[in-house]
Amino acid sequence: MKKLLTFVFACLIAAPLVADDVAAAPEPTIYIDGTDIDLSQFLWKNRPLVIFADSEFDPRFVQQMEFLNARIEDLEERDVVILTDTDPSVQSLLREQLRPRGFMLALIVKDGTIYLRKPSPWDVREITRTIDKLPMRQQEMHDRRDANN
């Protein structure tokens, strides 16, 4: 009986410690360093939003990241992954494929097509409206509505 009580007591003391470790686990992020990425890994799973700049201190890059951070959940809902590349000296595969000049935002749809390129920061509202007009996104929303009914 003493062993059982000791075990129960130990579990009661350890439970909050385990719960703290679980709660402290980092959430998955949609931000990915794009300097060593092949876009084919996102085919049919995600919509890459690629942000290029010549430096992480570029005011347009900073503003774009602020826009994205303000409504990150809206992008997650639309299967967006954000790829950043702020070092032109690396000559990444992304830079070879998309050929940015300075700051550039590029949205790539799930089939791998480059859907849009922008030379200036875009608000998440503009990005999500653009995504929501895509035929595949329309189908996703339709399927989700049907699943909820």
Side-chain angles (χ1 to χ4, degrees):
M1 183 71 170
K2 273 187 172 180
K3 286 183 181 181
L4 180 61
L5 286 176
T6 304
F7 177 74
V8 170
F9 185 73
C11 288
L12 289 174
I13 290 174
L17 298 175
V18 173
D20 286 345
D21 287 345
V22 171
E27 291 185 29
T29 180
I30 65 172
Y31 289 102
I32 300 171
D33 180 8
T35 55
D36 196 23
I37 291 292
D38 181 7
L39 288 172
S40 64
Q41 73 188 62
F42 302 108
L43 280 176
W44 305 111
K45 295 185 288 188
N46 298 101
R47 295 180 177 93
L49 182 65
V50 186
I51 315 295
F52 290 104
D54 289 340
S55 165
E56 63 188 68
F57 303 108
D58 179 330
R60 294 171 296 181
F61 179 78
V62 171
Q63 182 181 28
Q64 183 64 67
M65 299 313 285
E66 289 171 356
F67 286 163
L68 298 176
N69 287 328
R71 295 184 54 195
I72 198 77
E73 62 282 345
D74 293 342
L75 297 170
E76 288 175 329
E77 180 182 320
R78 290 163 177 82
D79 301 327
V80 172
V81 291
I82 300 166
L83 308 176
T84 58
D85 184 339
T86 58
D87 189 359
S89 66
V90 173
Q91 286 303 311
S92 66
L93 184 59
L94 280 178
R95 283 187 180 271
E96 288 178 21
Q97 291 174 328
L98 299 174
R99 302 182 187 276
R101 292 188 194 131
F103 177 87
M104 184 178 88
L105 174 145
L107 176 63
I108 301 168
V109 293
K110 286 186 175 182
D111 69 0
T113 304
I114 301 167
Y115 189 73
L116 80 97
R117 297 171 189 251
K118 294 291 176 184
S120 58
W122 252 32
D123 186 76
V124 172
R125 184 174 179 198
E126 296 168 312
I127 295 168
T128 56
R129 282 186 175 181
T130 300
I131 291 170
D132 288 346
K133 292 177 186 175
L134 297 168
M136 186 177 288
R137 174 66 181 154
Q138 293 283 319
Q139 185 64 45
E140 291 169 357
M141 291 187 299
H142 182 266
D143 292 347
R144 193 169 292 152
R145 270 194 305 266
D146 286 350
N148 291 333
N149 288 330

